[in-house]
Amino acid sequence: METKQASEQGEQMSESFRVGALLACAGGFLDAYTFLCRGGVFANAQTGNLALLGIRLANGDWAGACGYLLPVLAFVAGILLAEALRRAAWRGGALHWRQPLLLIESATLLLCVLCPTLHDATVNMAISFVCALQVQGFRKIHGSPIATTMCTGNLRSAIEAALAWRRGADPNAPRRGLHTLGATACFVLGAAIGAAAVARLGHGALGLPIGLLLAACLLLARRPGATQRAPQSHDCR
């Protein structure tokens, strides 16, 4: 049913709810992992790092400022790499251009699993890089803007959809709102699973989101849309 609907709307599997749910679950898991195992930080988004960077600079703590600048730079590197892959030869090849993103994410996390003694700052940089790839490569569910590594924008979108439905301004608002809330619920579920897994497995728990990313990668290959050309434009969030 979903495949038929996506086909009718010209959507790719990368915009399906199944892929978005897997990635949101992985995003929640990573946030729980870095908070519980890597210094009590949330490495998925950079708002906190930028705020703390400004505070350190105001206090003249240049060394401390560098500590918060590094994950921001890793995030920037992830965005640049995602854009480079989007514009590269993947666009007409056997792979969907987003599949290499997921494989790079998985490989980066695997290195962290295999090297559990890495410094917390190094692992948090790696996860910032991974989340940048994901947030840049996967921006929509069925045409609606979505984030799979953070929830603030999703909550805003859900409220906007609810208001649009109440005013009768958008007949698709309930569907958009449910997709957004569903992705947010998957993020929370991923965080809960992450907390339980960390309690049992410690640093080894980081291997579990790799499975979610690889499952999403396999889903991208299930339809002919997986070999469509990369989009020439995309929304800016």
Side-chain angles (χ1 to χ4, degrees), residues 2 13-30 44 102 105-106 109 130 134 138 140-141 146-150 179 182-191 193 208-222:
E2 179 181 316
M13 180 59 81
S14 60
E15 293 188 16
S16 72
F17 182 79
R18 284 177 288 176
V19 170
L22 287 170
L23 296 182
C25 192
F29 193 112
L30 293 177
N44 287 17
L102 295 174
E105 287 186 52
S106 300
L109 294 180
V130 163
Q134 188 165 307
F138 299 87
K140 296 180 180 180
I141 290 181
I146 202 77
T148 59
T149 62
M150 59 197 82
H179 286 152
T184 303
C186 288
F187 186 95
V188 175
L189 176 62
I193 294 173
L208 296 181
I210 296 175
L212 297 173
L213 296 175
L214 293 178
C217 188
L218 290 175
L219 279 177
L220 293 184
R222 290 189 60 183

Side-chain angles (χ1 to χ4, degrees), residues 66-78:
C66 287
Y68 291 110
L69 179 61
L70 290 175
V72 174
L73 293 178
F75 192 88
V76 171

Side-chain angles (χ1 to χ4, degrees), residues 78-91 97 101:
I79 296 294
L80 294 176
L81 178 57
E83 277 299 287
L85 288 174
R86 187 181 72 86
R87 299 176 182 277
W90 307 105
R91 60 178 59 177
W97 71 274
L101 295 185

Side-chain angles (χ1 to χ4, degrees), residues 123-219:
V123 175
N124 289 333
M125 284 177 59
I127 291 178
S128 292
F129 173 75
V130 163
C131 290
L133 292 175
Q134 188 165 307
V135 78
Q136 185 69 6
F138 299 87
R139 293 176 164 226
K140 296 180 180 180
I141 290 181
H142 293 308
S144 298
I146 202 77
T148 59
T149 62
M150 59 197 82
C151 291
T152 304
N154 295 343
L155 290 174
R156 181 205 64 203
S157 296
I159 294 170
E160 287 179 343
L163 292 174
W165 169 74
R166 184 175 180 180
R167 294 193 305 266
D170 183 359
N172 293 321
R175 180 170 173 265
R176 289 192 295 106
L178 287 175
H179 286 152
T180 304
L181 289 176
T184 303
C186 288
F187 186 95
V188 175
L189 176 62
I193 294 173
V198 164
R200 290 177 175 269
L201 303 175
H203 292 303
L206 193 57
L208 296 181
I210 296 175
L212 297 173
L213 296 175
L214 293 178
C217 188
L218 290 175
L219 279 177

Side-chain angles (χ1 to χ4, degrees), residues 7-47:
S7 177
E8 290 174 351
Q9 297 177 352
E11 294 175 352
Q12 297 187 27
M13 180 59 81
S14 60
E15 293 188 16
S16 72
F17 182 79
R18 284 177 288 176
V19 170
L22 287 170
L23 296 182
C25 192
F29 193 112
L30 293 177
D31 242 6
Y33 171 80
T34 58
F35 183 81
L36 295 172
C37 287
R38 297 294 181 177
V41 301
F42 296 114
N44 287 17
Q46 301 307 308
T47 304

